[in-house]
Amino acid sequence: MAKTLFDKVWDAHTVAEVEGGMSVVYIDQHLIHEVTSPQAFDGLRARSIPVFRPERTLATADHNVPTKDQHLPIKEELSRFQVQKLKDNCDEFGVTLYGLGHPKQGIVHVIGPELGITKPGMTIVCGDSHTSTHGAFGSIAFGIGTSQVEQVLATQCLILQKPKQMRITIEGELSPGVLSKDIVLFIISKLTAAGGTGFFIEYAGSAIRSLSMEARMTICNMSIEMGARGGLIAPDQTTFDYVEGREQAPQGDDWTKSLEHWKTLYTDEGASFDEEHRWDASEIEPMVTYGTNPGMGMGVTESIPEGGGSASFEKALSYMGLSEGRTLENHPVQYVFIGSCTNSRIEDLRLVADFVKGKKIASNISAMVVPGSQQVSKQAQEEGLDKILSAAGFDFREAGCSACLGMNEDKIPAGAYCVSTSNRNFEGRQGPGARTILASPLMAAATAIEGKIVDVRKYM
Amino acid sequence: MDKLNQLTSSCVPLPIEDVDTDQIIPARFLKATTRLGFGENLFRDWRYEKDGSPKKDFVLNNPTYTGSILVAGKNFGCGSSREHAAWAIKDYGFRVVVSSFFADIFKGNAMNNGILPITVTQEFLNDIFLAIESDPHCQLSVSLQEQMLEITSTGKRTSFQIDPYKKMCLLNGYDDIDYLLSVQDKIEAFESTRA
Ligand code: SF4
């Protein structure tokens, strides 16, 4: 029978069926961080059981860490305690930790791929909803709760209901100035913040195929923002080239064998999906969000729709200080944040540096660039990107989640507008009262230079 | 895990759509390393002013509405996978959340903590909101065994879906680890076939 890519990976990891329709699914790689793991380790202690396969779990500290002076002890007491707790737990249970100060530390979804841990055909989970990022390699990757973190630590398995499947096909060529971030913001604006709930999404089509791995990760990353547990893209030569030679990539004969297997990972002709959508890449323009969920997005030249009086819609606009019918072009902004697991990889930093080279950010703007990992940071410095960015007036910081969720001191003040390359514009996400406008790294860079939202295509 | 089967209670209405887990429990409260005490900060930024004084117009600050059932608008629990959202809801005293639509991860987290998420039609959800409007003390009656939800004042009833395995877990207070540990031999056998 014709199988989807998802079916192939799922079937290869099903250990047993549970009466009633759920399955026991084996997890190849477990990633953990300081925020959603302490209670899971407590659970193991309470049951007096070890971590079942410690070599399949990797830990890093990212959510809470400062992005300045990382060599000093964390100032904030609760954050310091949580990061220390992770270290203690990893020591006690024999889990490898790339903690603060380690050259491989970084946002969990950035380090997995860059170390070659993330590979095609795997099952990958983490107590973090953006685990969907790793689907870009043709893996089943999704976020889990802390009880499930405990299950994976204890048994390397989860009990799951097989999700429904959706395919989103984007054909054609993107216009200059339109990035993969715009593709995914466009899709979410069409399907809404709940439109993917219950589904795993396969992204397909020539526009997707033409993207780099970094750009594919940006799309899979935001699958959760339409409610989907995850998204995946069939691996191809772009994928294999990215993985080859990375630290934990297979070598020699193992590589040849793996490659043979990875080449079978695609959706068979005639396989069926529960839902299908198709758009042309030429329809997509640079996107901005205007509301308090990522589904409330529009093209930069479009106007905020009339909400039909829904209380939730009005609440969102009133929080954002915006009104129906207006566009966001020329809307003044005070902060620009370039970072997060959505857009903090080397390619994103290169794009921004290239755009701002020789320019200065506007006087009303505070702009921050936070690399996704120590390795991204190092590479950026080797390429001189940090100098270009600093010369333009950006604050080039150390790696972490930072203002994506404001758990450390990087917060946007109440009432201020921030154009952000992160993934969530929820109320208070970047700090209590902060107003987030999600956009691509190029749109964020152009906003920083002009001090207001502009259509980046005018520079192209 | 606590068992759950029958529950009859007045309810707390939250007719807002797309309530994300950042609202249920903001990130700055995720620094705790235990499961306890999150109820205090449930809906923190909707519930309290910056200075810590309660916001009068938020439903949890209105003594008229009490009970262990939360009734919320569609797409409840979207966004972050933080289980802290489920812990906060449980710690505050809710055992059942009713909505016309739940985000997946939240739904799973809720059930793993002995909270029953009940999905009803948009129409039935509106019926509940109307019933609460005409009588703020109106009660809902839940039977997990029967998979039945009733608005006691109007007698309107609806059945609801739940996976049989998850139902068994909630009824008996079992969790997934208990099950997974019981099939460890199968897991090891699976591993040996792929090595
Ligand atoms: S960067 Fe933001 S979205 Fe990504 S893992 Fe960190 S907090 Fe979560």
Side-chain angles (χ1 to χ4, degrees), chain A residues 33 62-63 107-109 128-130 221 225 337 339-342 344 400-406 422-424 429:
Chain A
H33 62 80
D62 53 3
H63 282 63
I107 304 174
V108 62
H109 312 309
D128 188 287
S129 56
H130 293 98
N221 173 278
E225 306 311 334
F337 172 63
S340 91
C341 57
T342 313
S344 66
C401 292
S402 179
C404 173
L405 90 167
S422 56
N423 43 53
R424 285 186 174 144
R429 172 81 178 179

mmCIF file of all heavy atoms in Angstrom, chain A residues 33 62-63 107-109 128-130 221 225 337 339-342 344 400-406 422-424 429, ligand 1:
data_model
loop_
_atom_site.group_PDB
_atom_site.id
_atom_site.type_symbol
_atom_site.label_atom_id
_atom_site.label_comp_id
_atom_site.label_asym_id
_atom_site.label_seq_id
_atom_site.Cartn_x
_atom_site.Cartn_y
_atom_site.Cartn_z
ATOM 1 N N HIS A 33 15.794 20.302 28.297
ATOM 2 C CA HIS A 33 16.367 21.571 28.760
ATOM 3 C C HIS A 33 15.914 21.824 30.187
ATOM 4 O O HIS A 33 15.132 21.051 30.757
ATOM 5 C CB HIS A 33 16.013 22.719 27.805
ATOM 6 C CG HIS A 33 14.546 22.980 27.680
ATOM 7 N ND1 HIS A 33 13.835 23.685 28.602
ATOM 8 C CD2 HIS A 33 13.656 22.594 26.729
ATOM 9 C CE1 HIS A 33 12.576 23.754 28.227
ATOM 10 N NE2 HIS A 33 12.442 23.089 27.104
ATOM 11 N N ASP A 62 19.064 26.557 27.817
ATOM 12 C CA ASP A 62 18.832 27.599 26.813
ATOM 13 C C ASP A 62 17.771 28.628 27.203
ATOM 14 O O ASP A 62 17.935 29.818 26.995
ATOM 15 C CB ASP A 62 18.468 26.959 25.455
ATOM 16 C CG ASP A 62 17.311 25.981 25.537
ATOM 17 O OD1 ASP A 62 16.736 25.814 26.625
ATOM 18 O OD2 ASP A 62 16.972 25.356 24.506
ATOM 19 N N HIS A 63 16.670 28.181 27.820
ATOM 20 C CA HIS A 63 15.532 29.080 28.044
ATOM 21 C C HIS A 63 15.836 30.219 29.019
ATOM 22 O O HIS A 63 15.382 31.337 28.850
ATOM 23 C CB HIS A 63 14.324 28.281 28.543
ATOM 24 C CG HIS A 63 13.609 27.538 27.450
ATOM 25 N ND1 HIS A 63 14.205 26.553 26.727
ATOM 26 C CD2 HIS A 63 12.356 27.671 26.958
ATOM 27 C CE1 HIS A 63 13.337 26.093 25.838
ATOM 28 N NE2 HIS A 63 12.215 26.757 25.959
ATOM 29 N N ILE A 107 20.328 26.910 21.713
ATOM 30 C CA ILE A 107 18.898 26.567 21.730
ATOM 31 C C ILE A 107 18.775 25.125 21.246
ATOM 32 O O ILE A 107 19.377 24.742 20.230
ATOM 33 C CB ILE A 107 18.070 27.493 20.824
ATOM 34 C CG1 ILE A 107 18.279 28.971 21.202
ATOM 35 C CG2 ILE A 107 16.593 27.138 20.914
ATOM 36 C CD1 ILE A 107 17.603 29.945 20.264
ATOM 37 N N VAL A 108 18.024 24.358 21.969
ATOM 38 C CA VAL A 108 17.955 22.919 21.755
ATOM 39 C C VAL A 108 17.665 22.562 20.288
ATOM 40 O O VAL A 108 18.234 21.620 19.737
ATOM 41 C CB VAL A 108 16.954 22.329 22.775
ATOM 42 C CG1 VAL A 108 15.556 22.883 22.600
ATOM 43 C CG2 VAL A 108 16.947 20.847 22.766
ATOM 44 N N HIS A 109 16.828 23.366 19.621
ATOM 45 C CA HIS A 109 16.466 23.040 18.231
ATOM 46 C C HIS A 109 17.493 23.553 17.226
ATOM 47 O O HIS A 109 17.386 23.283 16.041
ATOM 48 C CB HIS A 109 15.077 23.578 17.906
ATOM 49 C CG HIS A 109 14.092 23.233 18.954
ATOM 50 N ND1 HIS A 109 13.935 21.944 19.403
ATOM 51 C CD2 HIS A 109 13.254 23.998 19.695
ATOM 52 C CE1 HIS A 109 13.033 21.941 20.363
ATOM 53 N NE2 HIS A 109 12.611 23.168 20.572
ATOM 54 N N ASP A 128 9.269 20.712 24.569
ATOM 55 C CA ASP A 128 9.251 22.047 23.979
ATOM 56 C C ASP A 128 8.516 21.948 22.656
ATOM 57 O O ASP A 128 8.868 21.115 21.817
ATOM 58 C CB ASP A 128 10.687 22.532 23.743
ATOM 59 C CG ASP A 128 10.690 23.978 23.319
ATOM 60 O OD1 ASP A 128 10.296 24.252 22.160
ATOM 61 O OD2 ASP A 128 11.042 24.831 24.137
ATOM 62 N N SER A 129 7.524 22.799 22.463
ATOM 63 C CA SER A 129 6.635 22.620 21.310
ATOM 64 C C SER A 129 7.335 22.821 19.962
ATOM 65 O O SER A 129 6.876 22.296 18.958
ATOM 66 C CB SER A 129 5.440 23.552 21.417
ATOM 67 O OG SER A 129 5.867 24.885 21.539
ATOM 68 N N HIS A 130 8.433 23.572 19.949
ATOM 69 C CA HIS A 130 9.092 23.809 18.663
ATOM 70 C C HIS A 130 10.034 22.697 18.222
ATOM 71 O O HIS A 130 10.814 22.855 17.274
ATOM 72 C CB HIS A 130 9.793 25.173 18.665
ATOM 73 C CG HIS A 130 8.789 26.273 18.741
ATOM 74 N ND1 HIS A 130 8.466 26.888 19.924
ATOM 75 C CD2 HIS A 130 7.959 26.790 17.811
ATOM 76 C CE1 HIS A 130 7.498 27.761 19.693
ATOM 77 N NE2 HIS A 130 7.170 27.724 18.429
ATOM 78 N N ASN A 221 9.501 24.485 12.094
ATOM 79 C CA ASN A 221 9.481 25.071 13.436
ATOM 80 C C ASN A 221 8.107 25.605 13.792
ATOM 81 O O ASN A 221 7.608 25.406 14.902
ATOM 82 C CB ASN A 221 10.534 26.191 13.478
ATOM 83 C CG ASN A 221 10.515 27.004 14.755
ATOM 84 O OD1 ASN A 221 9.710 27.916 14.888
ATOM 85 N ND2 ASN A 221 11.379 26.671 15.704
ATOM 86 N N GLU A 225 2.410 26.418 15.446
ATOM 87 C CA GLU A 225 1.629 27.659 15.540
ATOM 88 C C GLU A 225 0.289 27.573 14.821
ATOM 89 O O GLU A 225 -0.533 28.458 14.936
ATOM 90 C CB GLU A 225 2.435 28.862 15.063
ATOM 91 C CG GLU A 225 3.790 29.057 15.736
ATOM 92 C CD GLU A 225 3.751 28.988 17.250
ATOM 93 O OE1 GLU A 225 2.696 29.267 17.842
ATOM 94 O OE2 GLU A 225 4.783 28.634 17.853
ATOM 95 N N PHE A 337 14.048 42.288 17.412
ATOM 96 C CA PHE A 337 14.716 41.110 17.988
ATOM 97 C C PHE A 337 14.986 40.095 16.892
ATOM 98 O O PHE A 337 14.061 39.615 16.230
ATOM 99 C CB PHE A 337 13.838 40.481 19.076
ATOM 100 C CG PHE A 337 14.361 39.158 19.585
ATOM 101 C CD1 PHE A 337 15.597 39.076 20.231
ATOM 102 C CD2 PHE A 337 13.633 37.979 19.421
ATOM 103 C CE1 PHE A 337 16.093 37.857 20.699
ATOM 104 C CE2 PHE A 337 14.117 36.754 19.882
ATOM 105 C CZ PHE A 337 15.347 36.706 20.530
ATOM 106 N N GLY A 339 16.451 36.518 16.537
ATOM 107 C CA GLY A 339 16.873 35.370 17.323
ATOM 108 C C GLY A 339 15.770 34.326 17.366
ATOM 109 O O GLY A 339 14.852 34.368 16.546
ATOM 110 N N SER A 340 15.882 33.371 18.295
ATOM 111 C CA SER A 340 14.952 32.263 18.542
ATOM 112 C C SER A 340 15.231 31.087 17.621
ATOM 113 O O SER A 340 15.882 31.230 16.583
ATOM 114 C CB SER A 340 13.489 32.677 18.392
ATOM 115 O OG SER A 340 13.044 32.481 17.073
ATOM 116 N N CYS A 341 14.677 29.945 17.996
ATOM 117 C CA CYS A 341 14.889 28.729 17.211
ATOM 118 C C CYS A 341 14.265 28.827 15.831
ATOM 119 O O CYS A 341 14.469 27.954 14.999
ATOM 120 C CB CYS A 341 14.356 27.518 17.960
ATOM 121 S SG CYS A 341 12.618 27.657 18.399
ATOM 122 N N THR A 342 13.488 29.872 15.561
ATOM 123 C CA THR A 342 12.898 30.035 14.234
ATOM 124 C C THR A 342 13.901 30.664 13.271
ATOM 125 O O THR A 342 14.031 30.240 12.130
ATOM 126 C CB THR A 342 11.639 30.928 14.309
ATOM 127 O OG1 THR A 342 10.838 30.474 15.395
ATOM 128 C CG2 THR A 342 10.836 30.860 13.033
ATOM 129 N N SER A 344 17.598 32.020 14.005
ATOM 130 C CA SER A 344 18.851 32.469 14.632
ATOM 131 C C SER A 344 20.021 31.646 14.154
ATOM 132 O O SER A 344 21.043 31.569 14.806
ATOM 133 C CB SER A 344 18.737 32.336 16.147
ATOM 134 O OG SER A 344 18.642 30.970 16.478
ATOM 135 N N GLY A 400 21.116 31.876 23.255
ATOM 136 C CA GLY A 400 20.035 31.445 24.139
ATOM 137 C C GLY A 400 18.687 31.806 23.550
ATOM 138 O O GLY A 400 18.609 32.372 22.465
ATOM 139 N N CYS A 401 17.622 31.482 24.286
ATOM 140 C CA CYS A 401 16.263 31.769 23.809
ATOM 141 C C CYS A 401 15.949 33.255 23.925
ATOM 142 O O CYS A 401 15.198 33.811 23.143
ATOM 143 C CB CYS A 401 15.241 30.972 24.614
ATOM 144 S SG CYS A 401 15.329 29.205 24.315
ATOM 145 N N SER A 402 16.466 33.880 24.970
ATOM 146 C CA SER A 402 16.418 35.333 25.082
ATOM 147 C C SER A 402 15.002 35.893 24.994
ATOM 148 O O SER A 402 14.071 35.346 25.578
ATOM 149 C CB SER A 402 17.356 35.918 24.009
ATOM 150 O OG SER A 402 17.368 37.316 24.019
ATOM 151 N N ALA A 403 14.845 36.982 24.240
ATOM 152 C CA ALA A 403 13.568 37.700 24.196
ATOM 153 C C ALA A 403 12.474 36.948 23.447
ATOM 154 O O ALA A 403 11.371 37.449 23.302
ATOM 155 C CB ALA A 403 13.764 39.078 23.571
ATOM 156 N N CYS A 404 12.753 35.729 22.987
ATOM 157 C CA CYS A 404 11.674 34.938 22.397
ATOM 158 C C CYS A 404 10.594 34.706 23.432
ATOM 159 O O CYS A 404 9.414 34.731 23.127
ATOM 160 C CB CYS A 404 12.180 33.608 21.873
ATOM 161 S SG CYS A 404 10.862 32.539 21.324
ATOM 162 N N LEU A 405 11.003 34.472 24.677
ATOM 163 C CA LEU A 405 10.013 34.269 25.730
ATOM 164 C C LEU A 405 10.341 35.046 27.000
ATOM 165 O O LEU A 405 9.611 34.929 27.985
ATOM 166 C CB LEU A 405 9.785 32.770 26.023
ATOM 167 C CG LEU A 405 10.613 32.053 27.077
ATOM 168 C CD1 LEU A 405 10.021 30.713 27.397
ATOM 169 C CD2 LEU A 405 12.041 31.966 26.719
ATOM 170 N N GLY A 406 11.398 35.805 26.987
ATOM 171 C CA GLY A 406 11.657 36.708 28.102
ATOM 172 C C GLY A 406 11.779 36.031 29.462
ATOM 173 O O GLY A 406 11.373 36.584 30.478
ATOM 174 N N SER A 422 11.016 35.747 16.019
ATOM 175 C CA SER A 422 10.633 34.555 16.773
ATOM 176 C C SER A 422 9.293 34.016 16.261
ATOM 177 O O SER A 422 8.871 34.359 15.169
ATOM 178 C CB SER A 422 10.591 34.883 18.260
ATOM 179 O OG SER A 422 9.709 35.969 18.489
ATOM 180 N N ASN A 423 8.646 33.206 17.054
ATOM 181 C CA ASN A 423 7.495 32.457 16.549
ATOM 182 C C ASN A 423 6.169 32.746 17.233
ATOM 183 O O ASN A 423 5.151 32.235 16.840
ATOM 184 C CB ASN A 423 7.815 30.968 16.659
ATOM 185 C CG ASN A 423 8.492 30.668 17.997
ATOM 186 O OD1 ASN A 423 7.980 31.033 19.054
ATOM 187 N ND2 ASN A 423 9.662 30.046 17.946
ATOM 188 N N ARG A 424 6.190 33.525 18.298
ATOM 189 C CA ARG A 424 4.929 33.726 19.022
ATOM 190 C C ARG A 424 4.717 35.191 19.366
ATOM 191 O O ARG A 424 5.611 35.834 19.914
ATOM 192 C CB ARG A 424 4.899 32.902 20.314
ATOM 193 C CG ARG A 424 4.662 31.470 19.991
ATOM 194 C CD ARG A 424 4.482 30.591 21.194
ATOM 195 N NE ARG A 424 4.116 29.281 20.694
ATOM 196 C CZ ARG A 424 4.505 28.143 21.230
ATOM 197 N NH1 ARG A 424 5.250 28.130 22.308
ATOM 198 N NH2 ARG A 424 4.126 26.999 20.700
ATOM 199 N N ARG A 429 4.322 37.632 25.719
ATOM 200 C CA ARG A 429 5.328 36.613 25.414
ATOM 201 C C ARG A 429 6.750 37.173 25.562
ATOM 202 O O ARG A 429 7.644 36.519 26.073
ATOM 203 C CB ARG A 429 5.116 36.107 23.983
ATOM 204 C CG ARG A 429 6.204 35.185 23.469
ATOM 205 C CD ARG A 429 6.027 33.775 23.940
ATOM 206 N NE ARG A 429 7.071 32.924 23.382
ATOM 207 C CZ ARG A 429 7.160 31.627 23.647
ATOM 208 N NH1 ARG A 429 6.304 31.047 24.442
ATOM 209 N NH2 ARG A 429 8.123 30.905 23.132
HETATM 210 S S1 SF4 C 1 13.784 30.104 21.131
HETATM 211 FE FE1 SF4 C 1 11.740 30.482 21.873
HETATM 212 S S2 SF4 C 1 10.432 29.030 20.877
HETATM 213 FE FE2 SF4 C 1 12.534 28.359 20.587
HETATM 214 S S3 SF4 C 1 12.909 26.893 22.211
HETATM 215 FE FE3 SF4 C 1 13.563 28.886 22.961
HETATM 216 S S4 SF4 C 1 11.765 29.737 23.962
HETATM 217 FE FE4 SF4 C 1 11.058 28.041 22.752
#
